[in-house]
Amino acid sequence: MVNLCKGDVMRFLDKFSRRKYSSAREEGRQADQDSISTRLPQNIEQLHNLFPEAPDLIIREFTIKKTGELAALAYFKGLSDKNAINTSVLRPLQFEIGHDNQDEGFALSVGPIQSLNTWSDIEASIFSGESILFVDGRLEAYALDTRGWPQRAIGEPQTESSLRGAHQGFVETGAQNIAMIRRYISNRELKIKELKAGRRGATKISLLYPGDVAHPEVLKELEDRISQLDVDVIINTGELAELIEDNPYSPFPQFILTERPDAAASQLLQGRIVVIVDRSPSVLVAPAGFTAFFQSIDDYSTRWLISSFIRLLRFLAFFIAILLPGLYIALISFNYELIPIKLFLTIGDFRGRVPFPPFVEAIIMEITLEMMREAGVRLPAPIGQTIGIVGGIVVGEAIVQAGVINNIMVIVVAFTAIASFILPNYDMVASVRIIRFLMMIAASMFGIVGIVVGMMILIGHIISLESLGTPYGSPIAPFRLSDWKDAFVRLPLWNMKTRPISARAIQSKRQGSSRPKGDGK
Amino acid sequence: MSRRLLVAFIVLAVAFMTGCYDRVDMENVAFPLTLGLDLDEKEDLIVYVIEPVFGEKIKKKSNEIAVKAQSLRQARGEFDRYSMGVFIGRQIQQILVGRRVLQHDGWFQLLDVFYRDAKNSLTPTVIAVDGPVSEFISLHSEDKPILPLFLNGMIESKSSYSETVKADLQDLHHQMFEKGITPVVSEIKYKKDVYLEGTTLLDHKGVYAASLNKDETIFLNILKKKSDIAHLSFNIPGVSAESPLVTGLLSFTVSEADTKIKTSFRDDRFRFEIKVDMPITLTERVFSYHVEKNKKDLEEIIAKQAEQKMIKLIKKIQKAKIDPIGLGLYARAYEYKSYKRVEEHWGEALSGAEIDVTVDVTITGSGPVR
């Protein structure tokens, strides 16, 4: 079933891309005859001209029973819902007389009917899955909402699983994603702004924001950046994020991409803006701060002491993941005096057998780790397990026995890997991987001094970063004490009376101060 | 465009930077763990080192080298010629100084390289050796870890029970240059094996002045307010010896003794009134005694003995004209003018000072048995 859908999509994309070029060729000729004609055969011919090599374009000609007019219905197979067309469009038009005598109205049981009179509008709506009804003698065509493209069932978010959170993830249909968020925030203050981006395949981009909370300046900034885009098409949210980022040269992600409706809703309530890109299962949350990448939706449904502990653990893991291999190199190559004497003697014993300098040793292991991880991500699940075996047994055991890498290095790599798996956000994990290598290089050249300088540069960089014009380093720098309630620890929910300052909410009260305490108090 | 060029230039410069000039990987380094200083019969300086040997197939875990040299830096040059890697003294755990060296003025100056070369760490412990250092260097016990580790553990654990002191180079430097105090370092001895004697007291110039045994060291640490916990055993007089196994020995633990020092200057001499509060818990009593009934008496007996021992210690110190307790710091704080006059020969001034010690013992626990 899934395969079938995939095939359809592929075929559709194939046709679609071929069509793009032919339409470009005809662009000049088209301009003067953009409006449709009153004569049906001419329109049908024009349709054939517009989509010359599109066998999935269906044009069905028939007579409308009610008025006796000749008509044609055009739609793309696969993009439109066949059942809806058969039962709600073709059947009533061909066989039902209808009760009213209104000239215009068709007795169609479909939702919105839109009249169009230019070919460019028709093109856009036919590609979005609507079917177009041409009637002989009328200078307008009707776009009927019969959209029904291949869809995936709503399932568990793959990249962000959670223990307590909802088990629904976003899907590839923007409208459904909006609906999922609306289920969490059923309030008319949830405003949606629709934008289009992309020349060849206009991608529908919806900006969701709490109207009374989101800062208009931030919203305007985001809107401006999206509307200034000049690209062919936006396939995925990640592309949009990269195109509108404040600093694309930074290793750090500046927007949160999430697959979780509950996470997106929670961010909305903090005053942030959610961007839904049609056809992409992840949504973009802006503006984002550094600490936001260490929060997980589970933090709020676990008891606060435990989630605070886990959060601190994540920050610790961040530093371990960045620094540990670098620290190993620095200690072995420069600053021996910092190793406790007993560990020192042990390392000395192991190091004596290894033919490579520490930096090469560390690079070999870290690259192996990165390759194993990448291999694990791309491999289908049943084969993916072999990676664990290969990694665990072959690389872990054999490499030490062969005397290529020493035991301590294997421990260091394992620690780093575990530490980076703890981080809840994939983009942040990816940044950590890059920074780790930079730290290793700095350590191999300058030892501890290199690491210290590296950290200073890193911190300076984080402080200077902005996400949508709001400071990335908040609440650490600029220092905002009230936001610390949900940064390194998560204080009890009844303490989070205000929305975070870093989201620049214009209405900051989140909840009252009362908490039922039992005993009738 | 120019910005891009600049970035490219920086990247290249960093990549080919020769910033690694002081990088020596661990396997290319010889690490002395113990450094020994001694004089031979002809009064020539001998420098010893113990370095660990890495490798699976090598049975002996450490390697010892002895060279004649005039300074430590020169000695290092000599060591280099004996070893596989470069000698780097950053993991030195302890410096053993022989008694013969300590008896000479100016030996402290030999350690200059540790203070002047900032790459060296100041963490090595200084240990005085009663006897020749070579006895320890050539020691190979089958049933012990290598000497550096052994000494490390020994000094670390015993100093936490106040039985010796752990004086690293930093402490020693402070004690040498602070005029109101004289240095104290731990002392070991060869008694069929490594034996912790207690402490060695040095004078202002660093020359050997006296040695203290374990108990004396405990009292010194109590007077210095450096004792958190200590174990002592006293002989209680008046216990009828009906069997050779029954003696008057009473063991107890002193925890957090509180020392108060009052300083004054009268009749041209310093006066120190030292009051020690010693809460103790009994740990062993091998004679019969009704502690609950005679608690006050027992407290008094112990206090009296402790007092006598401390007075004896102070007499010893005064006789040697040194000040390991650091009473000079109190004199400077409370009687600055008078102190300033005698600062340069404080040890002598202290030897003429009047020092009273009173000890107050409280038994806080006598164990769950009667």
Side-chain angles (χ1 to χ4, degrees), chain A residues 28-303:
Chain A
R29 188 157 57 88
Q30 230 177 315
D32 53 309
Q33 39 181 277
D34 193 40
S35 64
I36 65 168
S37 140
T38 49
R39 291 191 53 240
L40 186 62
Q42 210 173 328
N43 281 338
I44 291 172
E45 197 199 321
Q46 178 66 12
L47 264 178
H48 282 296
N49 283 340
L50 272 177
F51 308 108
E53 284 174 60
D56 54 345
L57 176 73
I58 309 289
I59 301 172
R60 171 79 156 80
E61 289 171 63
F62 58 94
T63 316
I64 299 175
K65 175 134 191 192
K66 186 177 153 197
T67 55
E69 289 167 302
L70 281 174
L73 189 72
Y75 61 92
F76 273 108
K77 193 163 73 185
L79 279 181
S80 301
D81 182 359
K82 198 167 73 185
N83 278 334
I85 290 174
N86 289 349
T87 59
S88 316
V89 180
L90 289 177
R91 197 183 153 84
L93 285 176
Q94 284 188 78
F95 303 112
E96 283 171 19
I97 299 170
H99 301 293
D100 53 45
N101 296 322
Q102 272 182 349
D103 214 14
E104 292 282 327
F106 300 106
L108 295 178
S109 40
V110 290
I113 299 176
Q114 209 187 341
S115 12
L116 310 168
N117 46 25
T118 60
W119 283 111
S120 49
D121 284 347
I122 287 172
E123 192 183 321
S125 74
I126 201 166
F127 273 125
S128 74
E130 287 173 326
S131 43
I132 313 289
L133 180 68
F134 295 94
V135 182
D136 191 29
R138 299 198 189 190
L139 196 65
E140 57 185 3
Y142 306 95
L144 314 175
D145 186 10
T146 54
R147 282 179 274 201
W149 50 81
Q151 273 192 15
R152 176 169 67 98
I154 293 171
E156 179 101 19
Q158 292 293 312
T159 53
E160 300 160 81
S161 46
S162 117
L163 296 173
R164 293 272 170 78
H167 296 281
Q168 282 189 336
F170 284 125
V171 290
E172 286 77 2
T173 307
Q176 282 205 28
N177 294 347
I178 293 174
M180 274 189 257
I181 289 179
R182 273 215 198 271
R183 293 247 306 135
Y184 284 99
I185 309 171
S186 344
N187 186 302
R188 63 194 146 77
E189 282 302 339
L190 177 67
K191 303 275 169 63
I192 300 174
K193 232 179 212 153
E194 290 215 331
L195 302 169
K196 287 230 156 81
R199 294 200 155 198
R200 285 184 187 265
T203 310
K204 207 167 85 187
I205 294 172
S206 318
L207 268 58
L208 276 69
Y209 59 97
D212 54 343
V213 175
H215 199 285
E217 244 175 63
V218 180
L219 181 69
K220 175 113 196 338
E221 176 69 31
L222 183 61
E223 215 182 316
D224 282 354
R225 285 190 199 178
I226 293 175
S227 55
Q228 279 166 21
L229 286 180
D230 182 13
V231 289
D232 260 3
V233 63
I234 287 169
I235 301 278
N236 219 314
T237 316
E239 287 180 17
L240 179 71
E242 185 170 332
L243 288 168
I244 64 171
E245 254 175 358
D246 295 61
N247 184 354
Y249 300 107
S250 167
F252 289 107
Q254 289 141 53
F255 299 119
I256 303 172
L257 295 181
T258 178
E259 263 189 88
R260 303 192 60 87
D262 46 1
S266 142
Q267 296 287 3
L268 270 172
L269 290 174
Q270 292 180 31
R272 299 200 167 88
I273 304 165
V274 166
V275 180
I276 293 178
V277 178
D278 193 20
R279 304 187 288 237
S280 173
S282 50
V283 307
L284 182 148
V285 180
F290 179 69
T291 53
F293 293 90
F294 294 84
Q295 300 169 347
S296 143
I297 193 74
D298 268 344
D299 292 356
Y300 303 95
S301 43
T302 327
R303 305 189 60 249

Side-chain angles (χ1 to χ4, degrees), chain B residues 171-187:
Chain B
D171 300 332
L172 187 66
H173 193 268
H174 165 72
Q175 292 170 3
M176 286 294 291
F177 288 94
E178 170 61 59
K179 283 172 180 146
I181 197 167
T182 56
V184 190
V185 296
S186 44
E187 180 178 311

Side-chain angles (χ1 to χ4, degrees), chain A residues 515-521:
Chain A
R515 179 173 75 95
K517 293 191 180 78
D519 288 346
K521 276 179 196 169

Side-chain angles (χ1 to χ4, degrees), chain A residues 11 46 56 105 149 188 239 327 346 410 475 491 499:
Chain A
R11 226 177 302 142
Q46 178 66 12
D56 54 345
W149 50 81
R188 63 194 146 77
E239 287 180 17
L327 216 52
T346 320
V410 174
L491 291 189
R499 299 177 215 282

Side-chain angles (χ1 to χ4, degrees), chain A residues 332-334 336 339 351, chain B residues 24-27 31 90-91:
Chain A
I332 304 281
S333 297
F334 289 90
Y336 334 98
I339 315 175
R351 282 290 309 158
Chain B
V24 190
D25 292 340
M26 208 172 132
E27 55 272 23
F31 293 101
R90 285 192 251 164
Q91 270 285 8

Side-chain angles (χ1 to χ4, degrees), chain A residues 404-457:
Chain A
V404 180
I405 303 291
N406 83 70
N407 280 334
I408 305 289
M409 185 68 232
V410 174
I411 295 173
V412 165
V413 170
F415 262 56
T416 336
I418 292 170
S420 63
F421 290 144
I422 293 179
L423 302 183
N425 185 292
Y426 174 78
D427 290 306
M428 189 48 88
V429 173
S431 322
V432 162
R433 288 152 80 176
I434 297 291
I435 297 165
R436 181 192 306 149
F437 279 98
L438 296 178
M439 285 292 175
M440 280 161 66
I441 293 170
S444 77
M445 292 202 290
F446 307 105
I448 294 282
V449 178
I451 290 183
V452 171
V453 171
M455 279 311 283
M456 282 164 68
I457 294 174

